[in-house]
Amino acid sequence: MDDGALMEQVSHGDREAFAMLVEQHAPALQRFAVRLLAQQSHAEEIVQETLTRAWQKAGDYNAERARLSTWLHRIAHNLCVDRLRRQEREVPLAPALESALTARETAEQVLETLDSQDRVAKAIASLSERHRTALVLTYYQSLSNREVAEIMGISLRALESLLVRARQQIKTTLEASS
Amino acid sequence: MKRSPSQPPLSLTRAKEILNAYGAEPERWPEEERGDLLQLLARSPELQALRETASQLDDLLDEWQPEVINHTDILVGSLPAQTQPKQHWANQLAAIFLSGLLGWRQAALAAAPLALGFIWGLSGEPPSDDWSEAEFLIFNSPMKVLSDE
């Protein structure tokens, strides 16, 4: 079933169609939110809120304007940005690092115990919100550069500039921690 | 999407920008520049080295695959009411106009008994022209009326 037909059914209150939408898109949205917020519990809330809004506003979706995936990512992105701006200005840490720090270990000890997945999570978490968003949407979410630029409300040149800086910074952080 | 004939060929500088921004995988490159970049890569050792460096970073990035928790049942079981889709302004105007027409019908229905009462009143005995009693009550104070009685 294509995006337009699916959302047409959802807009008429079809719960089975909505369940199909959730199964198709929730995993990608959840990974996006985890990578952006670096906190599983917050990410789950964002996904729930995103899909609830998709249910409520299903009639507003226009398949000619955007893929459903892009539309959902735009909602999730806006919610994540709101969440990040509400949070304290502290840099969000990857879950493994966060729990390790609460155990009062030194940074060196923590870095030694982290596996490479956690090191990548920490490196991505150390990026600014815009650099992180650009990287996560482009690299992990299977969206085109035009779709990412549209979600973020920036030009293609600005997106590429963010991506180059983000990749450089991650490389530097990973090299420093290895 | 292929590059249009009017576009200049992909420069080495642009090819490097693409690799530095999007990494080593062609599926992440801008669609319209993908073909040209692949051709350029085939004959540029410098670009091949840059792609190899980008590929190493890609491999590290690929290692972070967050766990996904399935909440479909919870979500579907706790859905709120849906909102009406946004209408085009012309449709909204038509809706207001139509609801206005319905309003007039209701008002007309409510006014019908009043009109019937008015007609009923006109068709009855004409009121008396004798105003003397009313004038007496209007132009004399209540105390005077009582004392006269």
Side-chain angles (χ1 to χ4, degrees):
Chain A
M1 190 186 300
D2 66 32
D3 289 349
L6 180 67
M7 289 305 278
E8 177 71 17
Q9 290 191 3
V10 173
S11 72
H12 288 108
D14 186 333
R15 284 168 189 258
E16 280 183 27
F18 181 73
M20 202 185 293
L21 180 151
V22 173
E23 279 170 21
Q24 279 175 10
H25 295 277
L29 291 171
Q30 201 173 121
R31 286 193 193 99
F32 167 63
V34 169
R35 285 177 173 129
L36 214 56
L37 301 174
Q39 288 183 4
Q40 184 74 36
S41 59
H42 289 181
E44 285 171 27
E45 286 171 22
I46 293 292
V47 173
Q48 192 159 348
E49 179 66 26
T50 301
L51 293 169
T52 303
R53 287 193 186 187
W55 163 258
Q56 288 179 302
K57 308 268 183 187
D60 291 346
Y61 173 70
N62 183 346
E64 288 170 11
R65 283 191 186 170
R67 284 196 300 155
L68 181 54
S69 169
T70 311
W71 190 70
L72 292 169
H73 273 89
R74 192 183 302 131
I75 298 172
H77 169 247
N78 290 339
L79 291 168
C80 284
V81 170
D82 285 349
R83 173 62 67 101
L84 286 168
R85 288 178 185 167
R86 273 207 312 272
Q87 283 174 357
E88 292 174 358
R89 292 284 173 188
E90 68 189 49
V91 176
L93 297 172
L97 183 65
E98 194 177 39
S99 58
L101 280 176
T102 56
R104 295 177 186 280
E105 292 179 74
T106 66
E108 286 84 357
Q109 285 171 321
V110 171
L111 286 172
E112 279 171 18
T113 60
L114 293 174
D115 61 19
S116 58
Q117 175 164 273
D118 292 323
R119 286 196 304 122
V120 174
K122 177 188 169 285
I124 291 175
S126 72
L127 297 172
S128 75
E129 172 239 307
R130 285 173 71 75
H131 288 98
R132 193 161 64 241
T133 304
L135 181 88
V136 169
L137 284 172
T138 308
Y139 191 82
Y140 292 109
Q141 300 303 119
S142 306
L143 296 166
S144 74
N145 57 343
R146 288 182 195 284
E147 288 172 322
V148 175
E150 192 197 318
I151 289 169
M152 294 184 72
I154 58 176
S155 67
L156 286 174
R157 293 301 294 175
L159 172 67
E160 288 182 359
S161 175
L162 288 172
L163 287 171
V164 171
R165 291 282 302 276
R167 287 178 67 94
Q168 276 174 351
Q169 196 180 321
I170 285 176
K171 198 177 163 204
T172 308
T173 308
L174 290 174
E175 281 169 358
S177 68
S178 61
Chain B
M1 191 189 297
K2 285 202 165 186
R3 183 174 59 85
S4 71
S6 60
Q7 273 185 301
L10 197 70
S11 68
L12 192 65
T13 309
R14 177 61 190 151
K16 287 178 184 174
E17 282 174 358
I18 294 171
L19 291 171
N20 285 328
Y22 299 99
E25 286 301 318
E27 70 207 32
R28 294 196 181 93
W29 300 342
E31 204 178 349
E32 61 275 17
E33 293 170 304
R34 201 173 290 161
D36 285 357
L37 181 49
L38 282 169
Q39 284 182 11
L40 208 54
L41 261 165
R43 54 178 194 269
S44 167
E46 189 187 357
L47 285 182
Q48 287 165 15
L50 189 61
R51 189 186 187 187
E52 180 55 35
T53 309
S55 176
Q56 287 167 8
L57 183 58
D58 287 357
D59 289 344
L60 283 169
L61 291 174
D62 287 340
E63 287 189 26
W64 189 21
Q65 298 297 336
E67 266 181 56
V68 172
I69 299 159
N70 187 350
H71 292 300
T72 307
D73 292 343
I74 298 169
L75 263 166
V76 176
S78 60
L79 289 171
Q82 288 180 308
T83 53
Q84 292 300 310
K86 282 178 195 164
Q87 286 184 329
H88 188 263
W89 65 268
N91 293 341
Q92 286 181 341
L93 203 65
I96 291 166
F97 180 69
L98 284 172
S99 69
L101 282 181
L102 287 175
W104 278 109
R105 282 184 190 169
Q106 287 164 346
L109 208 63
L114 284 172
L116 280 173
F118 184 71
I119 293 163
W120 178 277
L122 285 178
S123 64
E125 269 188 39
S128 168
D129 287 338
D130 185 7
W131 283 88
S132 58
E133 192 177 347
E135 284 170 354
F136 175 78
L137 288 170
I138 289 166
F139 295 111
N140 291 294
S141 69
M143 288 308 292
K144 188 168 186 301
V145 173
L146 288 173
S147 63
D148 285 352
E149 285 176 354

